[in-house]
Every structure is written in C-alpha cells, then in structure tokens.
Amino acid sequence: MKLKREHALTLARLGVIGGAVLLVEALCRSGVINPLTLLPPSRMAADLFGLLASGQIAHDMAFTAGTIGAALVLSIALGFGLGVLVHALPRVRRALDPLLASYYSVPFFIFYPLLVAIFGLNAFPLVVLGMAFAAPAMMMSTMAGLDRIPRVLLRVARAHRLSRVETVRQIVLPSAAPYLFTGMRLALAYTFIGVIAGEFIMASSGIGHAIAYAYEGFDNNTMYALMLLVLVVVTVINMSLHAYETRLAKRRARA
Amino acid sequence: MSATADVPARTTPARRRSGSWDGLILLVLALLAWQGMHLYVGEAALASPVKTLTFLAGFLRGPVFWGHFAATLAAFGWALLIGAVGGIVIGLVLGERRFAGDVAEPILAGLYAIPKVTLYPMILLIFGLGMSAKVAFGVIHGIIPIILFTMGAVKTISPVLLRAARAMRLTRRQTALEVLVPAVLPEILTGLRIGFSLTFLGVLIGEMFASQRGLGFLIVNGINLHNVPMTTGMILVIVLFALAANGLLLWLHRRFGGPSATPEHA
C-alpha cells in the first residue's frame, strides 16, 4: 500500500512538471506568449543541443565548473576546519552565535563588486564569493554534527581505551556523517548560486556571464538554451544527491 | 537551509552582559579588519571606515540617497507583502492537503536550490525594466521558503491539539484562532525571517543588474564611476539594515515563538 502511494506521488509529480512544460509549449506555439518574451521549451532544448554540439560554450562551461569546484573544495575544507575549531572553544562559540544566526540575512552579493575591485575581474573574486556563501553553512553543519554525537558512544570509546585517532575514526566521524553530508550538499548548492550569480552581475567568462551577454545582445535563443542548461545541471545534481542521502538514511535505519 | 536560522536561546542577565561585551569586541574586530583590509588593498578598492562614515554623513543628508533608498524600500515592501501573503496562503492549502503537499514539496525544494539569478533576464522580458521586474524577482526568491515552512508547520501539528479542541467543543473560529495559529506561528515566523532576507537579496540583485534606481544600482554605479566611498558606504548601509531587520525578527521569534519554537528545523 505504501509503495503504491510512492508511485502515485512520483506519477503526480511527473504529471505536474510535464503538464507545466506542455502548457508553456502550447501557449508559445499558439502565439499567446510572444516569442520575444519566451521560447517554447522544445526550441530551448534544440538550441541547447546545437550549442553543446558546436563547442561554442565549452570554454564558459569549463570556467564555471573550475570556479565552482575550487570554491566548493575550499569552502568544505574551511567550513569543516572552522567548525571543529569553534566547537572545541565554547567561549568563542558563544560570542560567535549571534553573528552566525544573522550571517545569511546579509545579502552577500553586494560585496561582489568590491571583491572585483580588490582582486580584479577574474575567477578569484568568484571563488571568494562562493566561499563566503558556502563555508558558513558547512561550518554550522559540522558543529551541529559534533553536538549530536551520543554521549554514550564516547563513553564506550573510553571503556574500550580507543586512542584519539581511533575514537575520531570509529565514533566521531560516523555519528557526525549525516550532518557533514548535509553541509556538503548545502555547500554545493550555495557555491553554484554564488558563482553563477557573480558571473551574471560582473565577469569576463562563465555560464552566468554568457547568459547576461546573450540578454544584452537580444539573443534569446542562446539565453534560454543556457538557462535550460543551468536548470537541468543543478536539478540533476540535487536529485542524485538527495536520492543518495535517502538511501544512506534507509541503510542506517536498517543497520 | 538547515543551518542558517539558529535562534539563540533565551539568555540569563549575566550571560547577556558578557554577550554585549562579546558584541563590542566583535564590532572592534570588524572595524580593525576593515581598516586592515583598506590598508592592504589601497584607496582605489576599499575606502577606510573613517572616510566612509564621513562620506555617509554628507550623503545621507542630501536628497539623492533618500530617492534611491525609497525605490529599494518600495520594491522590497511590495515583494515581501506578495511573498508573505501568497506564501502563507499556498503553504496553508498545501499543508492541509496531504497528497498535494507531498507532490509539491520536492518540486519546491528543487526550485529553491536553483540559482534564480539566471532567470532574471526572463523576468525582465516578461515585466519590462523597472519596478515590477524587481518586485517579481524579490517574490520568486522569498516565497518558496515561506511556503515550505508554513506547509511544514501545518503538516506537523500534533493531532492531540485538534482532538483537544474538538473535545472542548471549540467553534471553527476558536479552533483556528486559539489552537491552529499559535501552533504554526513559530515556524511561519522562521519562514518569514528567511523569506525576508531572500526577498531583500532578490531585490538588490535585481537592482545591480539592469536598473537605474535603488541601493543596488548605487553600488554598481559607484564601481563604474570609481566612487569608492559610495560603494563602501552603500554596502555598509545595506549590511546594517539587514542585520537590524534580522535582529528585530529574531526578537519577535523569541517573544512570540513560545516554548515550541524549533530552531533545529530552520
């Protein structure tokens, strides 16, 4: 019975998304929506295919992927390190608490022009922007994970006279893993948003820049094809990570 | 956004006193970092705190700033109003209808994670340059977390509360006002706080790209005209505004969130 509901939900979701795409397609084809405003989705897909095949956007894609990769690795490392450090220093943590609570209320993109003025118009300010956006999420997830290690497990480790390294490997990391994984997933989403938004506002290459450039050149075909590319890539990554996380949680529950 | 909205717990007076010392130390550290950064990168990239404050003291007295400030505030106010009302209504409806809610939740979460900036040209093509595009862009940033939190709040209402309301033979109106609203209020406040920040972000990004008015435009304009104190000053104004608004909303949360406020959830 439960499986049936799962199936019904998946079907309904596909129906909603497919219906929305078909509706837009029909409205565009029938001329209700002006082709200068929005292109039919089938057209976007065809344009995207053409762009990918021509290799025109390979350079921008590589630039964006490299920037996101660098920002992601650095924010995970920095966020994890800071999380462990601050977790070990309760006094510092208490002082930082209000700061962390309001960190994400500050619209960080406003710093981007400043970063460009400081570092120049290259990938570096984009990496810094992505890190400023993603590292705190990783840091807070790390601290949350370390907070939630069951006391009893640490006592078991002491009873077994595990060394410090062994305790970390056998007890701390496995208990904190789900939180660390959530932190990494957030960090990925945030670096994506940070880097692409930065490219969009001010940059010399990258997918975000290509979209802004196409908009300014009234090149709707390229613009919508690139938007579709971003939507598809982000959705596929998010869905696979989500599916992996769910499977991990199920295995944990069974074990 | 599981880690972004930790609500600090109620504090004792002694803690609060050490808290205000901490705040002072943080403020001094921030100013020192700012000054150090200024010395490191130079006058052409970042204005010093003193220079920025002097510039702001003059600029805030003139009419130019207030015109742009009013433009940002108007766009933000409309976007927040539409996002809050629409988000809460949609969230309540989806929370009550289990199936529709379960269908919508992953779709909304997926929409939440995409870089919405890339959609801005589409918004511009639909709404044209100007106020309504900025409002629409703010709304698409802010409405989704408000829907998700409202929906979550309604879905997780304890059935005991509803049974108690029925046992006491409360009218529908009484049930809504005395049971449902207090039960969902804390989560909705959290959703509104996140929605508030994201709406503000959306409006500012809208102003930074293809706009002639507003604080976001002033930042980009300052960069283009090499008016460094202008850029630095506007960033300071926006950061202070965001921090003050967030502080107020956190206070509201603590005041009205009640003991059932669930910070982990945020």
Side-chain angles (χ1 to χ4, degrees):
Chain A
M1 194 59 209
K2 203 176 167 210
L3 208 69
K4 254 190 190 158
R5 185 176 146 82
E6 278 297 309
H7 279 300
L9 280 174
T10 314
L11 276 180
R13 269 172 217 147
L14 287 177
V16 169
I17 296 171
V21 172
L22 282 179
L23 181 68
V24 174
E25 180 84 28
L27 288 176
C28 291
R29 293 277 172 202
S30 63
V32 178
I33 296 180
N34 189 326
L36 291 176
T37 306
L38 191 63
L39 294 172
S42 61
R43 188 64 204 278
M44 292 182 206
D47 288 336
L48 175 59
F49 195 73
L51 271 181
L52 289 174
S54 74
Q56 243 175 296
I57 51 167
H59 170 73
D60 285 321
M61 282 172 75
F63 179 85
T64 302
T67 314
I68 290 176
L72 179 65
V73 171
L74 286 172
S75 20
I76 289 178
L78 186 74
F80 181 74
L82 282 177
V84 171
L85 188 73
V86 173
H87 180 81
L89 303 168
R91 184 68 191 77
V92 175
R93 182 175 184 174
R94 219 167 67 218
L96 285 181
D97 248 355
L99 197 70
L100 289 175
S102 41
Y103 186 86
Y104 278 98
S105 70
V106 175
F108 264 88
F109 294 99
I110 57 167
F111 284 102
Y112 181 62
L114 203 65
L115 293 174
V116 171
I118 294 174
F119 299 114
L121 197 60
N122 49 47
F124 202 71
L126 289 170
V127 172
V128 175
L129 183 69
M131 278 173 63
F133 215 44
M138 183 67 202
M139 178 179 165
M140 289 188 242
S141 297
T142 306
M143 296 197 306
L146 294 178
D147 282 343
R148 284 172 183 71
I149 298 170
R151 282 266 173 81
V152 72
L153 289 183
L154 293 177
R155 241 177 286 150
V156 169
R158 225 168 321 142
H160 284 265
R161 296 174 190 276
L162 292 186
S163 69
R164 248 187 123 102
V165 176
E166 278 297 293
T167 310
V168 168
R169 213 170 63 84
Q170 308 255 12
I171 310 282
V172 174
L173 282 182
S175 319
Y179 292 90
L180 297 181
F181 192 82
T182 305
M184 289 182 208
R185 197 157 61 85
L186 284 176
L188 180 68
Y190 287 175
T191 42
F192 245 101
I193 295 179
V195 168
I196 292 187
E199 287 175 352
F200 185 80
I201 297 170
M202 210 184 274
S204 53
S205 43
I207 292 293
H209 171 253
I211 294 177
Y213 188 77
Y215 167 74
E216 274 151 22
F218 301 106
D219 182 0
N220 274 7
N221 292 51
T222 308
M223 187 183 91
Y224 276 117
L226 291 172
M227 281 185 188
L228 184 65
L229 176 70
V230 173
L231 286 190
V232 169
V233 169
V234 172
T235 309
V236 166
I237 292 180
N238 272 327
M239 271 168 52
S240 12
L241 284 179
H242 186 75
Y244 180 71
E245 215 177 0
T246 322
R247 229 180 40 212
L248 220 63
K250 264 193 198 143
R251 212 161 53 194
R252 232 159 223 287
R254 242 185 290 134
Chain B
M1 271 219 169
S2 67
T4 58
D6 278 346
V7 176
R10 262 169 224 265
T11 44
T12 62
R15 274 218 167 170
R16 202 172 301 147
R17 211 155 344 147
S18 87
S20 56
W21 272 113
D22 289 347
L24 204 65
I25 294 170
L26 278 177
L27 184 69
V28 171
L29 281 180
L31 281 174
L32 281 177
W34 180 359
Q35 180 70 35
M37 198 71 189
H38 160 73
L39 291 175
Y40 177 67
V41 301
E43 192 68 45
L46 179 67
S48 69
V50 175
K51 191 153 183 205
T52 307
L53 291 177
T54 330
F55 169 81
L56 277 182
F59 192 55
L60 295 192
R61 241 177 270 145
V64 180
F65 170 80
W66 295 107
H68 288 285
F69 184 73
T72 300
L73 213 59
F76 175 58
W78 280 112
L80 189 64
L81 186 70
I82 296 172
V85 173
I88 291 176
V89 169
I90 296 174
L92 289 176
V93 171
L94 287 178
E96 215 192 20
R97 286 157 214 241
R98 240 332 101 109
F99 189 78
D102 284 350
V103 168
E105 197 167 347
I107 298 178
L108 288 170
L111 286 177
Y112 185 53
I114 59 173
K116 280 167 280 290
V117 201
T118 51
L119 300 180
Y120 193 48
M122 186 170 81
I123 303 281
L124 284 175
L125 289 175
I126 295 173
F127 291 92
L129 284 170
M131 175 87 163
S132 45
K134 278 196 279 184
V135 173
F137 199 54
V139 171
I140 65 168
H141 269 83
I143 196 168
I144 296 178
I146 301 179
I147 297 179
L148 286 173
F149 274 95
T150 310
M151 198 165 96
V154 177
K155 258 164 73 172
T156 52
I157 284 186
S158 159
V160 174
L161 291 178
L162 298 179
R163 243 179 289 148
R166 223 169 324 140
M168 293 181 207
R169 294 175 192 277
L170 299 187
T171 62
R172 274 187 82 101
R173 208 182 114 86
Q174 280 172 321
T175 310
L177 285 182
E178 304 283 337
V179 180
L180 292 181
V181 170
V184 297
L185 198 60
E187 294 238 8
I188 291 185
L189 279 176
T190 304
L192 281 179
R193 196 157 54 81
I194 295 174
F196 183 97
S197 305
L198 286 172
T199 306
F200 194 44
L201 177 75
V203 169
L204 286 173
I205 295 182
E207 287 176 347
M208 287 167 80
F209 183 85
S211 172
Q212 299 299 319
R213 305 214 39 77
L215 300 182
F217 163 72
L218 285 182
I219 292 180
V220 173
N221 200 37
I223 288 282
N224 291 335
L225 301 177
H226 298 290
N227 188 347
V228 181
M230 163 82 93
T231 306
T232 318
M234 286 308 104
I235 291 176
L236 182 67
V237 168
I238 292 171
V239 168
L240 290 181
F241 179 80
L243 288 180
N246 192 60
L248 184 71
L249 290 169
L250 275 175
W251 179 80
L252 275 178
H253 191 139
R254 275 201 297 270
R255 180 85 179 62
F256 298 106
S260 61
T262 46
E264 271 112 282
H265 238 87

